[in-house]
Every structure is written in C-alpha cells, then in structure tokens.
Amino acid sequence: KKQIFGPHANGLLQVLGEHQHHQVSVVGHYVHLGGELHHSGDLRSEVRRKLAIAHQTFTKYRKLLLQNHCLALPKRVETFRSLVLSKFLYGVESWVLTGQRIKNYVHASLMRLYRRLSRLRPEDHVSDEEVLVLTGLPSPTELLRLARLRYLSSLISAGSATCWGLFNQDATW
C-alpha cells in the first residue's frame, strides 16, 4: 500500500504483459459503467453524484411534465418514476450503505425530490409520511431494498454461473 499509494509513490503500477511491461495509472476513484468507484469502497461521492443527476433530470422536465398543473398527480408520479427515479436507481443494487449519516442523506435528498414533485414549498411543514401518502411513492429505504431484491433475483436466475463463494467471502477491506 505504501509503495503504490504512499507519499513517495509515482502513481504508476508496473504490470507484466505477455510481451512487455505496461504502466497503469493508480487513481483514488474513477467512473466505470455509470458508477463511481472509490478505492476505499466509500459511497459518499457516488451517492452525491446520483442524487445530483436525479435533481438535474427533475429540473430539466419540471415545467413541462413534473410540476405541470394540467397533469394529474398520478400521471406526474408515473413520469417521475420513469424519468427521475430510473436515473437515480441505476446501479444502486450494489450499494452497501454502512453509516447512518449516509442513509439519512439519501432519505432526505429523495424526500426533497418527492416534495418538489408534489409542489410543496419548503415552508410548508409536511411530514415525510404525508408526502409518501400524497405521492404514493415508496420510502427511500424501500426503494433501495427493492433494488437489492431485484439484483438478488437476477443472481438466482443466473443459476450456477453465479459464484456464491465470493459472496460468502465478502468483507470490508
């Protein structure tokens, strides 16, 4: 670790190829297949990035669809699910939120999106439960659990191709 990440490291990892040596840049984090990976497994930047994408998408379609007075709330909720939540939920099935602080951050941010959808002003003191009943959307915790269950279902349907031994060896680095 000191040799690769230490203060005197050059930021390159020597890899022996079939015919020659290669130098691979060592980075702390990078984006791969739409998800940000961090060398420590920390999800804070990934969570912030996904929530920013969801808010940006909401803002893009806010006037035309999501806060349009001519559309009924159930239709706006359906549009919200397909446009905004799909962007947020892509890749969250692999998240492991270890601390209560990050869980609270995800909950508060998604509830803020729900409030925007129901056209509630920040000064309106409405509880989270009332917002969930008004919109008919699942709580943020339920959203994350559903994503994990869908992922588990796809792993089970993969059958013997899934290497279950790796899941048994999973531990914090």
Side-chain angles (χ1 to χ4, degrees):
K1 249 182 170 176
K2 285 182 182 178
Q3 185 180 15
I4 296 172
F5 295 108
H8 302 294
N10 63 357
L12 297 173
L13 179 65
Q14 297 289 329
V15 178
L16 179 61
E18 189 174 339
H19 300 290
Q20 62 187 7
H21 285 54
H22 301 281
Q23 292 186 341
V24 178
S25 297
V26 178
V27 296
H29 62 91
Y30 67 99
V31 177
H32 180 72
L33 296 176
E36 186 172 327
L37 302 172
H38 194 274
H39 73 87
S40 69
D42 185 23
L43 289 173
R44 285 180 294 188
S45 59
E46 168 69 0
V47 168
R48 275 191 237 108
R49 189 175 150 287
K50 286 287 192 174
L51 288 166
I53 290 170
H55 277 282
Q56 182 182 25
T57 305
F58 189 98
T59 302
K60 182 178 179 180
Y61 296 106
R62 182 180 64 86
K63 287 184 181 177
L64 182 63
L65 297 170
L66 299 172
Q67 288 185 342
N68 189 340
H69 296 285
C70 299
L71 292 175
L73 184 61
K75 193 63 171 174
R76 290 184 314 182
V77 168
E78 181 182 337
T79 307
F80 177 82
R81 281 178 177 265
S82 64
L83 291 176
V84 179
L85 281 183
S86 63
K87 292 232 180 187
F88 172 74
L89 292 174
Y90 178 76
V92 301
E93 58 273 353
S94 62
W95 285 3
V96 178
L97 302 177
T98 54
Q100 191 59 40
R101 188 173 179 190
I102 193 77
K103 290 177 187 176
N104 291 342
Y105 178 72
V106 169
H107 179 85
S109 298
L110 283 175
M111 290 309 298
R112 203 171 305 120
L113 276 170
Y114 288 4
R115 288 175 194 275
R116 287 180 72 187
L117 176 66
S118 57
R119 293 192 305 239
L120 293 172
R121 295 184 304 266
E123 60 269 8
D124 294 340
H125 298 290
V126 179
S127 69
D128 289 351
E129 291 79 21
E130 291 174 310
V131 173
L132 293 174
V133 169
L134 177 67
T135 59
L137 289 166
S139 72
T141 304
E142 290 172 358
L143 278 177
L144 295 175
R145 285 184 181 165
L146 288 170
R148 297 290 299 261
L149 286 173
R150 278 193 299 273
Y151 184 58
L152 181 63
S153 171
S154 65
L155 289 175
I156 290 171
S157 67
S160 61
T162 304
C163 187
W164 292 102
L166 291 175
F167 290 103
N168 292 332
Q169 294 175 5
D170 192 20
T172 304
W173 290 13

